[in-house]
Amino acid sequence: MSNTAIRYLTMLRMVPRHPRAITTTELAQRLEDYGYPVTMRSIQRDLEKLSVDFPLMVDESARPFRWSFERDATIDIIPALDLPAALTFELAQAYLKPMLPPRALAHLKPHFDEAHRTLLRERNPLGKWPDRIRVINRGLGGKRPEIDADVLETVTEALLREYQCNLTYQARNWPAPEEIRVHPFGLIFRDPNVYLIGTIDGREGIRQLVLHRATDGELVEEPLERPEDFDLDLYISSGAMGILHSRKPVFLHLRCDKPVLNHLIESPLGFDQVTTDIDENTFEITVTVGDTQDLRWWLTAQAVHCDILEPEWLREEIEETLRSGLKRTEGDK
């Protein structure tokens, strides 16, 4: 393949989908970074030539011109979408649809449509696979809070480019919305909410911002300040995503009923879980977990199927919770 053809492909991959756009100046700078020094005049001429065969559009209302792909364009740049990739897009759509706002999904719609067409065209058993797959979330299935699409775009771009961002945010315990400067470290999708993990100028500690409580966002093109030792996985495993009662981990020892709690064998509660068969009806686990409110909710819900052997203080706390609930129920009679 000629050097010019490779440059054309490289340039096409740099052009975003409408309403986003890129100027010929930005293209020249990026192409030079890739080892293709080209003048803006040559880029303009190349794009005009490519627009005959590709769904490119240009905004000539300002200088330098701004280029983008049409919003609904299917960009068939080699390699073509094969059957496994098409199936992956179909399943991704099923999983992401309830989690993301419509405008965020709209960016992927052309790819989802092409995936669907590919599966319909192929005479292959995989083509029927999407009809045989459904995504059901655990829990009561309440409606997810709606996230402002502009906020989500701002936050994701800030994360990708490692910039700061401004948000208009209403915390549950704030009397009114506030303008805050955020240093974003990561996003956590925890059904039914999406959390932005980061720090806020003027406030101490790492914060969890629930995205549906933000009503406006603006990218700030200044490098974020992040602790060198921050790791998103370690942050989650520390129990920080639960309501912490203490930062001291809990060594949990449970005796569990079979088969009701067999899923704990397949999906351990922690990295260090040890499972021991006792008899045909019971098994025991030992595991280190975070001292969170989620732990207490789970133990209360499973009280009829497991015994808390250790720690004793936690067993007494759950027993008191159950007694209070029973007392309330009996009081209504």
Side-chain angles (χ1 to χ4, degrees):
M1 185 181 291
S2 70
N3 192 59
T4 301
I6 295 174
R7 175 166 59 83
Y8 283 174
L9 287 174
T10 303
M11 183 167 59
L12 285 171
R13 289 193 175 103
M14 295 176 179
V15 178
R17 190 184 305 277
H18 185 78
R20 298 179 63 196
I22 188 168
T23 66
T24 49
T25 304
E26 292 169 326
L27 280 171
Q29 291 171 347
R30 293 189 187 183
L31 284 170
E32 187 169 0
D33 291 340
Y34 275 80
Y36 300 107
V38 190
T39 66
M40 285 190 292
R41 184 177 180 81
S42 295
I43 291 173
Q44 183 68 28
R45 188 167 52 247
D46 291 343
L47 288 170
E48 290 172 356
K49 187 187 306 180
L50 289 168
S51 64
V52 175
D53 297 303
F54 290 91
L56 293 167
M57 54 189 297
V58 60
D59 178 4
E60 299 179 347
S61 62
R63 297 283 184 143
F65 292 168
R66 301 172 62 84
W67 286 85
S68 57
F69 275 102
E70 294 176 4
R71 182 190 295 270
D72 298 323
T74 299
I75 308 169
D76 295 325
I77 300 176
I78 300 170
L81 193 64
D82 59 14
L83 199 60
L87 176 61
T88 301
F89 270 113
E90 280 277 318
L91 297 181
Q93 182 183 25
Y95 188 78
L96 292 174
K97 191 172 183 178
M99 298 178 68
L100 297 176
R103 202 170 92 189
L105 285 173
H107 292 292
L108 291 172
K109 186 177 183 300
H111 301 292
F112 291 149
D113 291 343
E114 177 61 20
H116 189 65
R117 286 192 294 269
T118 299
L119 291 174
L120 290 177
R121 283 195 301 264
E122 297 285 347
R123 294 184 177 275
N124 187 299
L126 280 179
K128 299 179 181 178
W129 189 249
D131 294 332
R132 298 167 185 170
I133 293 293
R134 293 294 180 270
V135 177
I136 299 177
N137 295 298
R138 300 186 69 176
L140 296 178
K143 185 177 182 295
R144 288 181 175 85
E146 293 186 3
I147 300 172
D148 184 277
D150 290 329
V151 169
L152 185 59
E153 285 192 11
T154 297
V155 167
T156 52
E157 186 171 359
L159 281 168
L160 288 171
R161 300 174 65 183
E162 297 189 326
Y163 281 156
Q164 303 172 32
C165 61
N166 290 329
L167 296 178
T168 303
Y169 190 77
Q170 171 69 72
R172 184 176 293 174
N173 59 345
W174 294 357
E178 295 185 18
E179 300 289 333
I180 56 174
R181 173 71 60 88
V182 180
H183 300 254
F185 301 164
L187 278 179
I188 295 177
F189 291 78
R190 188 188 187 200
D191 205 21
N193 295 323
V194 181
Y195 297 86
L196 173 61
I197 310 302
T199 56
I200 302 174
D201 278 357
R203 292 179 167 87
E204 295 184 357
I206 297 175
R207 303 299 179 106
Q208 302 170 12
L209 303 176
V210 189
L211 272 194
H212 67 262
R213 295 180 187 156
T215 56
D216 193 22
E218 179 188 13
L219 185 69
V220 179
E221 295 190 356
E222 295 180 16
L224 62 83
E225 298 175 8
R226 176 171 50 203
E228 290 185 4
D229 61 349
F230 178 82
D231 182 274
L232 196 59
D233 289 325
L234 291 177
Y235 178 78
I236 295 170
S237 63
S238 72
M241 288 306 297
I243 302 173
L244 283 173
H245 284 245
S246 75
R247 296 193 177 275
K248 186 176 180 181
V250 175
F251 179 77
L252 193 63
H253 186 185
L254 303 178
R255 181 181 295 121
C256 307
D257 291 346
K258 296 178 181 178
V260 179
L261 294 180
N262 278 4
H263 64 275
L264 296 180
I265 302 173
E266 301 167 350
S267 302
L269 294 176
F271 298 119
D272 63 345
Q273 178 171 307
V274 176
T275 304
T276 307
D277 264 328
I278 303 302
D279 54 43
E280 62 180 12
N281 296 315
T282 57
F283 64 93
E284 292 185 6
I285 64 171
T286 58
V287 63
T288 305
V289 294
D291 185 13
T292 66
Q293 185 60 44
D294 282 352
L295 173 64
R296 287 158 174 78
W297 286 333
W298 186 85
L299 289 171
T300 301
Q302 302 300 332
V304 296
H305 299 302
C306 73
D307 302 313
I308 304 173
L309 305 181
E310 296 181 74
E312 183 178 352
W313 61 265
L314 184 56
R315 181 178 68 245
E316 293 173 352
E317 184 178 325
I318 299 302
E319 288 173 352
E320 178 58 33
T321 299
L322 292 168
R323 280 194 293 268
S324 298
L326 182 60
K327 182 178 179 181
R328 177 168 183 164
T329 301
E330 291 175 339
D332 291 338
K333 294 181 179 178

